[in-house]
Amino acid sequence: MTSHVMNTYGRLPFALSHGRGCRVWDTEGRSYLDALAGIAVNTLGHGHPKLVPALQDQIARLIHCSNYYAAPLQEALAAELCRLSGLEAAFFCSTGLEANEGALKIARKFGHDRGIARPEIIVYDKAFHGRSIATLSATGNPKIQAGFEPLVEGFVRLPLNDLDAVRAAVRANRNIVAIFLETIQGEGGINPTRWDVLQGLRAICDEHDLLLMLDEVQCGLGRTGKWFAHQWAGIRPDVMPLAKGLGSGVPVGAIVAGPRAKDVLGPGNHGTTFGGNPLAMRAGIETLRIMQEDGLLANAQAMGERLRAGLAEGLAGQAGVVEIRGQGLMLGIELDRPCGALLGAAAERGLLISVTADSVIRLLPALIISAAEIDELVGILVPLVREFLQSAPPQP
């Protein structure tokens, strides 16, 4: 059968039809435990009984209107994000890429406002910030960049968790205006920035009047057991891009800014057609409300600990397992060999997972997941990984 969809994704050979909670069904009626949640998007799982009627109500009222007019739902969601983060203002867009692109624009204008004609931004190895030309340039993956050169200039790339490298770069380069990183790298293989490094970066930015910009698109919104992953380090960023889980499946992104960055952009500097539309804002408001009502931060922390413990016990002593890492319900299992074949193999056993950075099994289940479902996940995945490692030789 000829497809008229551009060939941009390597897809598994089945289509999902519907879901309920942490379970989804394909068009042939097969059931799967969803340990991916749309890549950290379906915060509340599928068909949540509190979210669905709220979205139905909003669709009947107003789906979209232009940003020419006052936007009460934007004001409400911005106020809640600022309350939860301790920051002061938000701009709404539709995707994580747009949120990161906006953060880059803030950093550049921040520099220009200080008389720096060619502002530069520190970014990191193995980072992933999106696929636009600018966010692609900030991303630290040559495979993703290949074929799209020339890349955008103005980035200084450093190794993660190396404060000395940051200090040396800032001393040597007066054009540096910001430090931009994922609090926990997602696509790069679930690589956490250490808490002491986050505290050190905050101090460097304060000392040199730089912007600390923390990409929380994948790791934010309760996934680690706190609202935002950087809160484990007890710091606040100047700029925080969000998206993915904020709308529980409805596309919504945000840039949340603190006092050093909130007034950098003015009318005419930035904008978007779909950003902040009423449906997306209602989805964000209801997602945050339900997360609080249902205690989902505590659940993410407890279920994350249960998942990590189950994996550690089940894979103990297994040759080929390099490390289990992450925080809360954002966990990665690094193997010593490429393991993309596990995507299809897991699906055949009724489990949806992801493989990223070639050799890292990535688990991002909905924050509503139960203890019984965690045990089911471990019960499927552990034997699958053991069988795979025993049958697939490591690459030379």
Side-chain angles (χ1 to χ4, degrees):
M1 179 179 172
T2 301
S3 173
H4 297 285
V5 175
M6 280 193 185
N7 184 27
T8 54
Y9 302 105
R11 300 185 195 269
L12 293 173
F14 59 90
L16 299 180
S17 163
H18 61 284
R20 184 71 67 222
C22 289
R23 208 162 299 276
V24 292
W25 287 263
D26 68 18
T27 53
E28 304 300 315
R30 292 181 294 251
S31 171
Y32 306 84
L33 178 64
D34 184 3
L36 185 58
I39 316 182
V41 168
N42 299 106
T43 301
L44 305 177
H46 304 277
H48 194 286
K50 293 181 181 179
L51 180 67
V52 169
L55 296 184
Q56 290 171 329
D57 172 73
Q58 189 59 49
I59 286 170
R61 291 172 180 268
L62 195 63
I63 295 174
H64 176 82
C65 66
S66 166
N67 280 305
Y68 285 169
Y69 317 112
L73 292 176
Q74 286 186 26
E75 294 289 346
L77 182 55
E80 186 65 354
L81 287 172
C82 289
R83 184 182 73 82
L84 297 172
S85 66
L87 302 179
E88 295 187 4
F91 170 87
F92 293 107
C93 50
S94 300
T95 66
L97 178 157
E98 290 174 80
N100 285 333
E101 186 93 14
L104 296 177
K105 287 181 70 175
I106 288 173
R108 284 193 168 190
K109 190 163 187 302
F110 177 83
H112 280 280
D113 290 347
R114 281 155 176 72
I116 298 172
R118 301 181 71 82
E120 297 188 43
I121 300 166
I122 290 175
V123 292
Y124 284 86
D125 293 337
K126 299 184 180 179
F128 181 88
H129 297 295
R131 295 178 185 271
S132 68
I133 295 297
T135 56
L136 188 75
S137 302
T139 288
N141 186 335
K143 289 183 182 178
I144 291 174
Q145 295 170 336
F148 299 103
E149 299 88 349
L151 301 177
V152 173
E153 63 181 31
F155 295 106
V156 176
R157 194 169 307 283
L158 299 177
L160 192 65
N161 287 319
D162 187 341
L163 282 175
D164 288 339
V166 175
R167 292 187 185 101
V170 170
R171 280 196 303 268
N173 188 342
R174 296 299 180 87
N175 287 337
I176 289 174
V177 296
I179 302 173
F180 185 38
L181 70 157
E182 295 154 278
T183 314
I184 302 174
Q185 291 182 338
E187 304 297 322
I190 314 297
N191 304 311
T193 310
R194 294 200 320 265
W195 299 348
D196 63 305
V197 170
L198 288 170
Q199 293 161 357
L201 293 175
R202 179 68 276 173
I204 291 168
C205 288
D206 289 343
E207 180 184 352
H208 295 279
D209 193 25
L210 312 177
L211 296 181
L212 179 59
M213 309 200 303
L214 295 181
D215 175 349
E216 294 249 356
V217 167
Q218 190 167 139
C219 62
L221 281 310
R223 182 142 295 277
T224 65
K226 290 189 182 290
W227 282 108
F228 310 105
H230 66 264
Q231 290 175 330
W232 289 99
I235 64 159
R236 291 178 185 170
D238 299 300
V239 180
M240 178 175 63
L242 300 172
K244 286 193 181 292
L246 181 53
S248 295
V250 177
V252 52
I255 308 165
V256 191
R260 192 175 287 170
K262 70 183 180 70
D263 296 320
V264 170
L265 298 178
N269 288 149
H270 198 51
T272 169
T273 297
F274 291 106
N277 70 75
L279 178 61
M281 296 299 93
R282 184 74 182 272
I285 291 166
E286 299 294 340
T287 295
L288 298 182
R289 178 182 65 83
I290 295 165
M291 287 175 70
Q292 292 171 87
E293 284 182 2
D294 293 0
L296 294 189
L297 270 67
N299 192 65
Q301 186 171 352
M303 293 304 100
E305 290 170 359
R306 188 182 187 97
L307 177 56
R308 182 193 284 269
L311 293 170
E313 181 181 354
L315 296 173
Q318 174 61 58
V321 175
V322 176
E323 187 180 16
I324 300 169
R325 58 178 177 260
Q327 184 90 24
L329 290 174
M330 184 177 183
L331 292 182
I333 308 165
E334 183 178 356
L335 306 184
D336 67 354
R337 66 205 71 175
C339 59
L342 286 174
L343 244 71
E348 287 176 6
R349 301 192 189 189
L351 178 66
L352 302 185
I353 61 170
S354 169
V355 170
T356 192
D358 294 330
S359 60
V360 179
I361 301 164
R362 175 172 53 167
L363 302 172
L364 300 162
L367 305 192
I368 63 167
I369 196 166
S370 68
E373 288 164 334
I374 291 289
D375 295 346
E376 180 184 353
L377 195 172
V378 171
I380 297 171
L381 188 58
V382 163
L384 182 63
V385 171
R386 284 188 170 275
E387 290 169 26
F388 172 78
L389 289 171
Q390 289 159 13
S391 64
Q395 299 292 310

